[in-house]
Amino acid sequence: MSKRRPTRQRTAILTVLEEADSFLSAQELYDALRLKGLSVGLTTVYRNLQTLADRNEVDVVRREDGEWIYRRCDADQHHHHLVCRSCGHAVELANDELELWTKSLARKHRFSEVTHDLELFGLCRECSTSSANQRR
Amino acid sequence: MSKRRPTRQRTAILTVLEEADSFLSAQELYDALRLKGLSVGLTTVYRNLQTLADRNEVDVVRREDGEWIYRRCDADQHHHHLVCRSCGHAVELANDELELWTKSLARKHRFSEVTHDLELFGLCRECSTSSANQRR
DNA sequence: GTTAGTGCAAATGATTTGCAAACAG
DNA sequence: CTGTTTGCAAATCATTTGCACTAAC
């Protein structure tokens, strides 16, 4: 594994990720950086997010429209999210039952290497009240 | 709602979908059609799949690599799948508990319009035995 | 100096759209 | 005829890659 060099760009990306408690897509992170006057190349944003994801330093989820969204994360356990499809705000969920259910199905149907992806999307209280704060 | 006209292309698409008991992407369906000598424009394949999906005549799932895959379906109830990531073979799953769990979480976290997507991917017995039959 | 990191421009690849020609009722 | 459907070519759009350049160590 190679060493990581703290560059201006990397620091900026981490800062914005720390501050945002919601999920952000690469493009949204890119925009957020420019707004802060911390412009970083889009390519760099993508590459850093990828690295962070590989190291499990961010949670990665695919939004309903297909875009990947990322969020700072420390928990190293497997877990799921309830994500606001408007503002990206998210709640972490644990569900052991689901894990067990998955395993028993895999056995029953003789499938191996079964992985599961479960993400819940909805509108958080804020967003269902105001129609402002729309992501797009 | 407009009427549907039975065209050569539409019939061919439905035929292949009926015969395949596995999930297929638009591109795979397109290839399958050519192999059968029933060439249909790729655009047409996409448009028909979209229409079928709108009418709930096919199940639509997003594969791990991001491609949408489709399969003929009659059940109109909400359900999930255990899909082989190699050959597309799938098993339908029902899980009322999951539905209930979703609802209770929505209430608890005050989210509205919560939808959930759960798809399990693995390797079916056939595919985990032989390394042939790989989708890609 | 080496090696990791950056960023522009160009490539990718699935999906969508414009539009004129072909077809079903 | 009249509204659908088709299919090519071109457009989209998030993401990736080639490559020359810059910055850590």
Short mmCIF file of all heavy atoms in Angstrom, two decimals, chain B residues 73-108:
data_model
loop_
_atom_site.label_atom_id
_atom_site.label_comp_id
_atom_site.label_asym_id
_atom_site.label_seq_id
_atom_site.Cartn_x
_atom_site.Cartn_y
_atom_site.Cartn_z
N CYS B 73 -42.05 -10.71 -15.86
CA CYS B 73 -42.62 -10.89 -14.52
C CYS B 73 -44.12 -10.72 -14.53
O CYS B 73 -44.65 -9.83 -15.17
CB CYS B 73 -42.02 -9.85 -13.59
SG CYS B 73 -42.75 -9.83 -11.96
N ASP B 74 -44.81 -11.62 -13.81
CA ASP B 74 -46.25 -11.49 -13.74
C ASP B 74 -46.70 -10.98 -12.37
O ASP B 74 -47.66 -10.25 -12.26
CB ASP B 74 -46.93 -12.83 -14.04
CG ASP B 74 -46.59 -13.29 -15.42
OD1 ASP B 74 -46.74 -12.50 -16.36
OD2 ASP B 74 -46.13 -14.44 -15.59
N ALA B 75 -45.96 -11.41 -11.36
CA ALA B 75 -46.31 -11.00 -10.00
C ALA B 75 -46.40 -9.48 -9.96
O ALA B 75 -45.52 -8.79 -10.46
CB ALA B 75 -45.24 -11.47 -9.04
N ASP B 76 -47.47 -8.97 -9.40
CA ASP B 76 -47.53 -7.51 -9.34
C ASP B 76 -47.25 -7.02 -7.93
O ASP B 76 -47.32 -5.85 -7.65
CB ASP B 76 -48.89 -6.99 -9.84
CG ASP B 76 -50.05 -7.67 -9.18
OD1 ASP B 76 -49.83 -8.36 -8.18
OD2 ASP B 76 -51.15 -7.51 -9.68
N GLN B 77 -46.94 -7.97 -7.05
CA GLN B 77 -46.59 -7.60 -5.70
C GLN B 77 -45.14 -7.17 -5.62
O GLN B 77 -44.30 -7.64 -6.39
CB GLN B 77 -46.69 -8.82 -4.79
CG GLN B 77 -48.05 -9.09 -4.22
CD GLN B 77 -47.90 -10.19 -3.20
OE1 GLN B 77 -47.62 -11.32 -3.58
NE2 GLN B 77 -48.07 -9.85 -1.94
N HIS B 78 -44.87 -6.36 -4.64
CA HIS B 78 -43.50 -5.92 -4.41
C HIS B 78 -42.68 -7.12 -3.94
O HIS B 78 -43.12 -7.87 -3.09
CB HIS B 78 -43.52 -4.84 -3.32
CG HIS B 78 -42.18 -4.42 -2.88
ND1 HIS B 78 -41.37 -3.64 -3.67
CD2 HIS B 78 -41.48 -4.68 -1.76
CE1 HIS B 78 -40.23 -3.42 -3.04
NE2 HIS B 78 -40.27 -4.05 -1.88
N HIS B 79 -41.53 -7.32 -4.52
CA HIS B 79 -40.67 -8.41 -4.09
C HIS B 79 -39.22 -8.13 -4.43
O HIS B 79 -38.92 -7.15 -5.10
CB HIS B 79 -41.12 -9.73 -4.71
CG HIS B 79 -41.13 -9.71 -6.20
ND1 HIS B 79 -42.16 -9.21 -6.94
CD2 HIS B 79 -40.20 -10.12 -7.10
CE1 HIS B 79 -41.88 -9.33 -8.24
NE2 HIS B 79 -40.69 -9.86 -8.35
N HIS B 80 -38.35 -9.02 -3.96
CA HIS B 80 -36.93 -8.82 -4.19
C HIS B 80 -36.36 -10.03 -4.91
O HIS B 80 -37.07 -10.98 -5.16
CB HIS B 80 -36.23 -8.61 -2.84
CG HIS B 80 -36.81 -7.46 -2.09
ND1 HIS B 80 -36.47 -6.16 -2.35
CD2 HIS B 80 -37.73 -7.41 -1.11
CE1 HIS B 80 -37.15 -5.37 -1.56
NE2 HIS B 80 -37.93 -6.09 -0.78
N HIS B 81 -35.07 -9.96 -5.22
CA HIS B 81 -34.46 -11.06 -5.96
C HIS B 81 -33.10 -11.44 -5.44
O HIS B 81 -32.38 -10.61 -4.89
CB HIS B 81 -34.29 -10.68 -7.43
CG HIS B 81 -35.56 -10.34 -8.13
ND1 HIS B 81 -36.06 -9.06 -8.16
CD2 HIS B 81 -36.45 -11.11 -8.80
CE1 HIS B 81 -37.21 -9.06 -8.84
NE2 HIS B 81 -37.47 -10.28 -9.23
N LEU B 82 -32.80 -12.69 -5.67
CA LEU B 82 -31.45 -13.17 -5.43
C LEU B 82 -30.96 -13.49 -6.84
O LEU B 82 -31.46 -14.40 -7.48
CB LEU B 82 -31.48 -14.45 -4.57
CG LEU B 82 -30.17 -15.23 -4.42
CD1 LEU B 82 -29.03 -14.33 -3.94
CD2 LEU B 82 -30.36 -16.38 -3.43
N VAL B 83 -30.06 -12.67 -7.32
CA VAL B 83 -29.62 -12.75 -8.71
C VAL B 83 -28.20 -13.26 -8.83
O VAL B 83 -27.31 -12.82 -8.10
CB VAL B 83 -29.68 -11.35 -9.37
CG1 VAL B 83 -29.37 -11.44 -10.85
CG2 VAL B 83 -31.04 -10.70 -9.14
N CYS B 84 -27.99 -14.16 -9.78
CA CYS B 84 -26.63 -14.65 -10.02
C CYS B 84 -25.88 -13.59 -10.81
O CYS B 84 -26.33 -13.18 -11.88
CB CYS B 84 -26.62 -15.95 -10.81
SG CYS B 84 -24.93 -16.47 -11.22
N ARG B 85 -24.77 -13.15 -10.28
CA ARG B 85 -24.06 -12.07 -10.96
C ARG B 85 -23.32 -12.56 -12.18
O ARG B 85 -22.81 -11.76 -12.96
CB ARG B 85 -23.11 -11.34 -9.99
CG ARG B 85 -21.97 -12.12 -9.46
CD ARG B 85 -20.95 -11.20 -8.80
NE ARG B 85 -21.45 -10.61 -7.56
CZ ARG B 85 -21.42 -11.21 -6.36
NH1 ARG B 85 -20.89 -12.40 -6.25
NH2 ARG B 85 -21.87 -10.62 -5.29
N SER B 86 -23.29 -13.86 -12.36
CA SER B 86 -22.61 -14.37 -13.54
C SER B 86 -23.58 -14.65 -14.68
O SER B 86 -23.40 -14.16 -15.78
CB SER B 86 -21.84 -15.63 -13.17
OG SER B 86 -21.30 -16.23 -14.32
N CYS B 87 -24.64 -15.42 -14.42
CA CYS B 87 -25.53 -15.78 -15.53
C CYS B 87 -26.88 -15.07 -15.49
O CYS B 87 -27.67 -15.19 -16.42
CB CYS B 87 -25.74 -17.28 -15.57
SG CYS B 87 -26.75 -17.91 -14.20
N GLY B 88 -27.16 -14.33 -14.43
CA GLY B 88 -28.41 -13.60 -14.39
C GLY B 88 -29.60 -14.40 -13.87
O GLY B 88 -30.68 -13.85 -13.68
N HIS B 89 -29.39 -15.68 -13.62
CA HIS B 89 -30.46 -16.52 -13.07
C HIS B 89 -30.93 -15.90 -11.75
O HIS B 89 -30.13 -15.39 -10.99
CB HIS B 89 -29.92 -17.93 -12.84
CG HIS B 89 -30.88 -18.82 -12.12
ND1 HIS B 89 -32.02 -19.29 -12.71
CD2 HIS B 89 -30.88 -19.29 -10.85
CE1 HIS B 89 -32.68 -20.04 -11.82
NE2 HIS B 89 -32.00 -20.05 -10.69
N ALA B 90 -32.25 -15.93 -11.53
CA ALA B 90 -32.75 -15.27 -10.32
C ALA B 90 -33.83 -16.05 -9.60
O ALA B 90 -34.57 -16.81 -10.19
CB ALA B 90 -33.26 -13.89 -10.68
N VAL B 91 -33.91 -15.81 -8.32
CA VAL B 91 -34.92 -16.40 -7.46
C VAL B 91 -35.71 -15.23 -6.88
O VAL B 91 -35.13 -14.23 -6.49
CB VAL B 91 -34.25 -17.16 -6.28
CG1 VAL B 91 -35.31 -17.75 -5.37
CG2 VAL B 91 -33.32 -18.22 -6.80
N GLU B 92 -37.04 -15.37 -6.88
CA GLU B 92 -37.83 -14.29 -6.30
C GLU B 92 -37.97 -14.48 -4.80
O GLU B 92 -38.12 -15.59 -4.32
CB GLU B 92 -39.22 -14.26 -6.94
CG GLU B 92 -39.16 -13.92 -8.40
CD GLU B 92 -40.49 -13.40 -8.94
OE1 GLU B 92 -41.48 -13.35 -8.18
OE2 GLU B 92 -40.53 -13.04 -10.12
N LEU B 93 -37.93 -13.40 -4.10
CA LEU B 93 -38.01 -13.45 -2.65
C LEU B 93 -39.11 -12.53 -2.14
O LEU B 93 -39.31 -11.44 -2.67
CB LEU B 93 -36.70 -12.95 -2.04
CG LEU B 93 -35.40 -13.53 -2.58
CD1 LEU B 93 -34.24 -12.73 -2.03
CD2 LEU B 93 -35.29 -14.98 -2.20
N ALA B 94 -39.79 -12.97 -1.14
CA ALA B 94 -40.78 -12.10 -0.53
C ALA B 94 -40.26 -11.85 0.87
O ALA B 94 -39.58 -12.69 1.43
CB ALA B 94 -42.13 -12.78 -0.47
N ASN B 95 -40.51 -10.70 1.40
CA ASN B 95 -40.13 -10.48 2.78
C ASN B 95 -40.97 -9.41 3.41
O ASN B 95 -40.69 -8.22 3.33
CB ASN B 95 -38.65 -10.12 2.90
CG ASN B 95 -38.24 -10.07 4.35
OD1 ASN B 95 -39.06 -10.24 5.24
ND2 ASN B 95 -36.97 -9.83 4.60
N ASP B 96 -41.99 -9.85 4.06
CA ASP B 96 -42.89 -8.92 4.71
C ASP B 96 -42.23 -8.20 5.87
O ASP B 96 -42.48 -7.04 6.11
CB ASP B 96 -44.13 -9.66 5.23
CG ASP B 96 -44.90 -10.27 4.08
OD1 ASP B 96 -44.80 -9.71 2.97
OD2 ASP B 96 -45.58 -11.28 4.29
N GLU B 97 -41.36 -8.93 6.56
CA GLU B 97 -40.67 -8.32 7.69
C GLU B 97 -39.92 -7.07 7.26
O GLU B 97 -39.93 -6.05 7.94
CB GLU B 97 -39.66 -9.28 8.28
CG GLU B 97 -40.25 -10.29 9.22
CD GLU B 97 -39.17 -11.26 9.65
OE1 GLU B 97 -38.20 -10.82 10.27
OE2 GLU B 97 -39.30 -12.46 9.33
N LEU B 98 -39.27 -7.22 6.12
CA LEU B 98 -38.50 -6.09 5.63
C LEU B 98 -39.40 -4.89 5.39
O LEU B 98 -39.05 -3.75 5.72
CB LEU B 98 -37.80 -6.49 4.32
CG LEU B 98 -36.91 -5.42 3.71
CD1 LEU B 98 -35.75 -5.08 4.64
CD2 LEU B 98 -36.37 -5.91 2.37
N GLU B 99 -40.57 -5.16 4.87
CA GLU B 99 -41.51 -4.07 4.59
C GLU B 99 -41.92 -3.39 5.89
O GLU B 99 -41.96 -2.17 5.99
CB GLU B 99 -42.76 -4.59 3.87
CG GLU B 99 -42.50 -5.60 2.75
CD GLU B 99 -41.58 -5.09 1.67
OE1 GLU B 99 -41.69 -3.90 1.32
OE2 GLU B 99 -40.74 -5.87 1.17
N LEU B 100 -42.19 -4.21 6.87
CA LEU B 100 -42.60 -3.66 8.16
C LEU B 100 -41.47 -2.86 8.80
O LEU B 100 -41.68 -1.78 9.34
CB LEU B 100 -43.03 -4.80 9.10
CG LEU B 100 -44.30 -5.52 8.67
CD1 LEU B 100 -44.55 -6.72 9.56
CD2 LEU B 100 -45.49 -4.54 8.73
N TRP B 101 -40.30 -3.41 8.72
CA TRP B 101 -39.12 -2.78 9.28
C TRP B 101 -38.95 -1.38 8.65
O TRP B 101 -38.74 -0.39 9.34
CB TRP B 101 -37.92 -3.66 8.98
CG TRP B 101 -36.61 -3.20 9.52
CD1 TRP B 101 -36.29 -3.08 10.83
CD2 TRP B 101 -35.46 -2.79 8.77
NE1 TRP B 101 -35.00 -2.64 10.95
CE2 TRP B 101 -34.47 -2.45 9.71
CE3 TRP B 101 -35.18 -2.70 7.41
CZ2 TRP B 101 -33.20 -2.02 9.32
CZ3 TRP B 101 -33.93 -2.29 7.03
CH2 TRP B 101 -32.95 -1.94 7.98
N THR B 102 -39.06 -1.34 7.33
CA THR B 102 -38.96 -0.08 6.60
C THR B 102 -39.95 0.95 7.12
O THR B 102 -39.60 2.09 7.39
CB THR B 102 -39.23 -0.32 5.11
OG1 THR B 102 -38.30 -1.26 4.62
CG2 THR B 102 -39.11 0.96 4.33
N LYS B 103 -41.17 0.52 7.25
CA LYS B 103 -42.21 1.44 7.70
C LYS B 103 -41.93 1.97 9.09
O LYS B 103 -42.10 3.15 9.36
CB LYS B 103 -43.58 0.74 7.69
CG LYS B 103 -44.16 0.55 6.30
CD LYS B 103 -45.68 0.40 6.37
CE LYS B 103 -46.29 0.27 4.97
NZ LYS B 103 -45.76 -0.92 4.24
N SER B 104 -41.47 1.09 9.97
CA SER B 104 -41.24 1.55 11.33
C SER B 104 -40.06 2.52 11.39
O SER B 104 -40.07 3.48 12.15
CB SER B 104 -41.03 0.37 12.28
OG SER B 104 -39.70 -0.06 12.25
N LEU B 105 -39.08 2.29 10.55
CA LEU B 105 -37.94 3.20 10.52
C LEU B 105 -38.34 4.57 10.00
O LEU B 105 -37.92 5.60 10.50
CB LEU B 105 -36.84 2.64 9.63
CG LEU B 105 -35.99 1.56 10.27
CD1 LEU B 105 -35.07 0.96 9.24
CD2 LEU B 105 -35.16 2.19 11.40
N ALA B 106 -39.17 4.55 8.99
CA ALA B 106 -39.63 5.80 8.41
C ALA B 106 -40.32 6.62 9.50
O ALA B 106 -40.06 7.81 9.66
CB ALA B 106 -40.59 5.52 7.26
N ARG B 107 -41.15 5.94 10.25
CA ARG B 107 -41.89 6.63 11.31
C ARG B 107 -40.90 7.16 12.35
O ARG B 107 -40.91 8.33 12.70
CB ARG B 107 -42.87 5.64 11.95
CG ARG B 107 -44.09 6.31 12.55
CD ARG B 107 -45.09 5.27 13.05
NE ARG B 107 -45.38 4.23 12.06
CZ ARG B 107 -45.14 2.94 12.24
NH1 ARG B 107 -44.57 2.51 13.36
NH2 ARG B 107 -45.44 2.07 11.29
N LYS B 108 -40.05 6.29 12.80
CA LYS B 108 -39.10 6.65 13.84
C LYS B 108 -38.23 7.85 13.48
O LYS B 108 -38.00 8.74 14.29
CB LYS B 108 -38.21 5.43 14.12
CG LYS B 108 -37.11 5.65 15.13
CD LYS B 108 -36.50 4.31 15.49
CE LYS B 108 -35.19 4.47 16.26
NZ LYS B 108 -34.46 3.19 16.33
#
